[in-house]
Each structure stands twice: as C-alpha cells, then as structure tokens.
Amino acid sequence: MNAHARHLQPIDAEDLEEYPISASDRLDSHYFLQWNLKRWRASEFRRKADPDVGWYGMLLFFIAQDETPIGTLPCDDEQLAYELRLPLEKWHALNERKITPLHNWHRVRCDNGDIRWAHPVVTEVAVEALGSSRKNKAEQEERKYNKRLKDLREMIEGRIGAGQLLRAPGFLERFNDWLEERYPRTQRREPFIRSALDEFQMECAP
C-alpha cells in the first residue's frame, strides 16, 4: 500500500505516535541542514525511487524544516502539491508509484492537536538541530550573565569603592538578580548603580 493509499485509510488518533517537537519550538537561525551523505547514498529511497520521485522526496525533506512543528508535513494533498509546485493530479500520480515521495513518512499527533506526516530521519535531524540551538542559546545566556556580574563587580569595587559589600556571600548575585527584576531595561551607569545599591540595601536589610 503506497503513501497516498494509506492517506485514505481511517485511523485512530489515539494510536498515533506523539511527535517529540512542540509546535511552539522555533529554529529561526536554521539556515543549514545537517545531511548524512553516506546514510543517504545507502538508503532504499535513493537506490530504488524513480528520479522524479527522489527529487520531490528530497524537496519534502527541506520543506519540512520550515513547517510547524519543525520536521513535519501537512496531511493535505492539495497543500503538499502546492508546496512542490505540482498540479494535484501529478502529485496523486507520483503517489501511485511503488516508492512515493512520502516513502517512510508516517502520521503522528502533534502537541497542538494536528495530525501530520513525520519521517524518522527528518525528525532525528530536527531534534538534533533544536538541541544544538538550545545549547548555543544557553551558553550565550551564560556568557552574558557572567559578563554582567563581572561589570557589576568592577563598578561596585573599582568605581564606587564599596568592595566591602562583595564580601557577603552571594551579595553580587542577589543584587544582580534584583536589578534584572526591578530595572530590566535600565543602563547600568555609575549614578544608577549607586542609587540602586542604597535602595537594595534598604529593601533587603535583615
């Protein structure tokens, strides 16, 4: 049974696999797609699909990167035909082949309630890309946080001359967190930090 024929069969949404990526996840800087060339060359799809089927199948891999959730496709023939710039009749004809552009795609349930196509390799690539993006973002946030602490320490100790405050365990971190909560958009210039220090000590005094 080909992918188009499977598409026409009634399914129970309760039996569907849960897609691992949320519809709210984004990869705004996803300009490059990791591609395992040896895996692709050894795949049944590359070896056995007709050339036109292979071409449109690869396009679906790429189209899925910009979909919601990332790495999925809509279970809608008209939409897929449109994304591939094909007449609907041509799309249906491709899906009558022994190996179709939707080879190894299967239906999944997404966390927004949608039922969509997913492919194990495309899902794997998307999950890895999302994990890498989260790691890079976390590392970037950590670098920013450490720089804020460093600049704040230098301001208090070197320019304001209140280094004795820093001897209290955790003072710098508590003051920084207080600033971020109370004055998240205020530039940390010396007059502001002087005033904020007085306010913080009065407010947080034991």
Side-chain angles (χ1 to χ4, degrees), residues 38-81:
K38 290 186 177 180
R39 188 175 186 176
W40 163 250
R41 292 180 63 184
S43 69
E44 180 185 45
F45 183 65
R46 190 197 72 85
R47 289 184 289 108
K48 295 185 178 181
D50 295 331
D52 54 347
V53 168
W55 166 247
Y56 290 117
M58 285 194 68
L59 287 182
L60 291 178
F61 295 161
F62 303 146
I63 289 169
Q65 305 305 313
D66 292 323
E67 290 288 310
T68 301
I70 302 158
T72 65
L73 294 170
C75 294
D76 182 308
D77 282 341
E78 290 186 359
Q79 182 65 30
L80 290 173

Side-chain angles (χ1 to χ4, degrees), residues 97-165:
R97 307 280 183 89
K98 183 177 180 180
I99 294 184
T100 79
L102 286 172
H103 182 70
N104 275 347
W105 290 82
H106 61 285
R107 290 188 174 200
V108 295
R109 180 173 52 206
C110 305
D111 67 352
N112 62 355
D114 288 351
I115 306 299
R116 294 175 66 87
W117 290 115
H119 187 289
V121 177
V122 177
T123 300
E124 179 184 318
V125 170
V127 168
E128 289 180 359
L130 190 61
S132 178
S133 175
R134 287 170 174 166
K135 180 182 177 183
N136 290 340
K137 185 176 181 180
E139 290 175 348
Q140 183 180 36
E141 289 300 320
E142 184 177 5
R143 288 194 295 270
K144 288 181 179 178
Y145 177 75
N146 289 336
K147 185 177 188 306
R148 286 195 296 271
L149 289 183
K150 178 176 179 292
D151 292 346
L152 192 58
R153 175 181 293 277
E154 290 176 352
M155 175 77 72
I156 294 172
E157 191 171 36
R159 299 176 62 179
I160 296 177
Q164 72 280 1
L165 296 174

Side-chain angles (χ1 to χ4, degrees), residues 143-202:
R143 288 194 295 270
K144 288 181 179 178
Y145 177 75
N146 289 336
K147 185 177 188 306
R148 286 195 296 271
L149 289 183
K150 178 176 179 292
D151 292 346
L152 192 58
R153 175 181 293 277
E154 290 176 352
M155 175 77 72
I156 294 172
E157 191 171 36
R159 299 176 62 179
I160 296 177
Q164 72 280 1
L165 296 174
L166 303 176
R167 290 196 288 271
F171 175 86
L172 188 65
E173 290 78 5
R174 292 197 306 274
F175 182 44
N176 177 74
D177 293 345
W178 181 86
L179 286 172
E180 291 186 353
E181 181 179 350
R182 185 66 61 86
Y183 301 104
R185 293 182 174 82
T186 303
Q187 289 189 337
R188 297 184 177 187
R189 301 186 186 281
E190 182 179 337
F192 166 72
I193 294 299
R194 286 182 180 275
S195 175
L197 273 173
D198 292 338
E199 183 182 353
F200 174 73
Q201 291 181 91
M202 291 181 61

Side-chain angles (χ1 to χ4, degrees), residues 1-11 77 96 107 117:
M1 183 183 296
N2 63 31
H4 183 59
R6 289 196 306 272
H7 172 210
L8 299 177
Q9 300 298 309
I11 57 173
D77 282 341
E96 294 299 327
R107 290 188 174 200
W117 290 115

